[in-house]
Amino acid sequence: MSYSTGKASGKVSLAGSAKVPTLSGRVVLREGVVYVQNYVQNSETTDGKTGEEDDQVVEVGPALGLNGVDVKFQNDLSVVFPYVMNVGVEGGIKLNGDSSTPMPTGRVDLTDGTINLVTTRLKVKRDSNNYAVFSGDLMPLVEFTLENQGLTMHVRQTRADKWSSALEVKDKSSDNSLDERHWIGVVADRLDLEHDQLAE
C-alpha cells in the first residue's frame, strides 16, 4: 500500500471500454514524498494458514489496464517507509499489465537519505551504485551501499528478496568484515517493529 504528497504533472488518457478500461500516458512526480507501507505477513498461524490468507482482497470493479504508463521521479522526491527509511529517488518506470498485476520496467536510483535500525542510523553512500532495476515484475534487482562513521553495509547486485545473501558489512576502522548474520537479524527485527507500530 502506498500514497504520496507533492507535485505531479503530465498527460494521461483512458481508452478501452467500461469493462476493460486502459490507461496510458506520462506522469512526473516531484518535490514530494511517496509513503510505502507493507502489511504482508508470511508467518504461519496456529491453524497452518499463512497471515496472507487472513486478508481478503475485495475487487470493487474491473482492473485498470496499464499501457506503457511512463512514471518519472524528479526534483527532491523521497520514498518513506515509516519508522525505517527515508531516501531520495530519481529515474522512472514504465507500467504495463493492469492495476492488480502491474509489470514495471525501468530504473530508480537512490540519491541520498537514511535507514533507521533503532540503535544504528545509516546513510546512503552517494559515490556508490544505489539503484533498483525493474524488469517486468514487482521484485527488482537492487544494489546499494549504506554507511555511518563506524561501518559500511553493502548489498551486492541481487534480487530484492535475496538481499540477505548478498550482504557485506565492514568495520571502517579496520576494514575487517563483520558478522553479517547479526545485521540480517537487526534489519529483520526492525521490519517486525515497524509492522507492530503501524498496527497499533
Side-chain angles (χ1 to χ4, degrees):
M1 180 177 132
S2 65
Y3 62 96
S4 63
T5 64
K7 298 179 180 179
S9 61
K11 183 178 181 180
V12 296
S13 60
L14 190 62
S17 65
K19 290 185 177 180
V20 189
T22 300
L23 187 70
S24 61
R26 184 173 187 267
V27 176
V28 177
L29 301 177
R30 64 188 190 280
E31 298 176 24
V33 179
V34 177
Y35 295 92
V36 179
Q37 298 176 354
N38 180 15
Y39 296 102
V40 175
Q41 297 292 299
N42 291 316
S43 58
E44 291 191 355
T45 61
T46 54
D47 59 2
K49 296 181 180 180
T50 64
E52 293 176 335
E53 293 170 328
D54 293 334
D55 296 326
Q56 299 297 318
V57 177
V58 179
E59 292 290 343
V60 295
L64 180 64
L66 302 171
N67 182 20
V69 180
D70 196 11
V71 183
K72 298 294 185 184
F73 308 119
Q74 298 178 354
N75 299 350
D76 298 323
L77 184 71
S78 297
V79 173
V80 173
F81 193 1
Y83 309 109
V84 178
M85 178 183 76
N86 185 338
V87 295
V89 295
E90 290 181 351
I93 56 175
K94 184 167 288 188
L95 296 173
N96 287 290
D98 59 48
S99 56
S100 63
T101 54
M103 300 167 57
T105 56
R107 173 174 171 137
V108 178
D109 291 297
L110 310 182
T111 59
D112 55 21
T114 59
I115 308 293
N116 178 20
L117 300 180
V118 185
T119 59
T120 303
R121 184 179 294 270
L122 299 163
K123 293 183 178 181
V124 173
K125 189 176 182 182
R126 293 195 178 191
D127 58 348
S128 300
N129 290 322
N130 303 299
Y131 60 81
V133 174
F134 293 86
S135 301
D137 60 36
L138 295 176
M139 192 59 66
L141 194 68
V142 300
E143 181 176 7
F144 56 88
T145 301
L146 309 172
E147 65 176 355
N148 60 19
Q149 291 184 337
L151 61 84
T152 300
M153 182 181 294
H154 175 59
V155 172
R156 304 183 306 275
Q157 187 182 75
T158 187
R159 277 174 53 96
D161 57 344
K162 304 295 184 183
W163 67 270
S164 60
S165 63
L167 178 65
E168 298 173 341
V169 184
K170 289 191 174 182
D171 185 331
K172 279 189 173 181
S173 63
S174 64
D175 202 36
N176 291 332
S177 295
L178 302 177
D179 185 1
E180 284 85 4
R181 291 172 299 177
H182 166 74
W183 290 102
I184 290 169
V186 169
V187 174
D189 288 346
R190 185 66 182 117
L191 294 176
D192 285 343
L193 175 61
E194 175 272 340
H195 177 269
D196 291 342
Q197 288 174 320
L198 287 175
E200 289 178 353

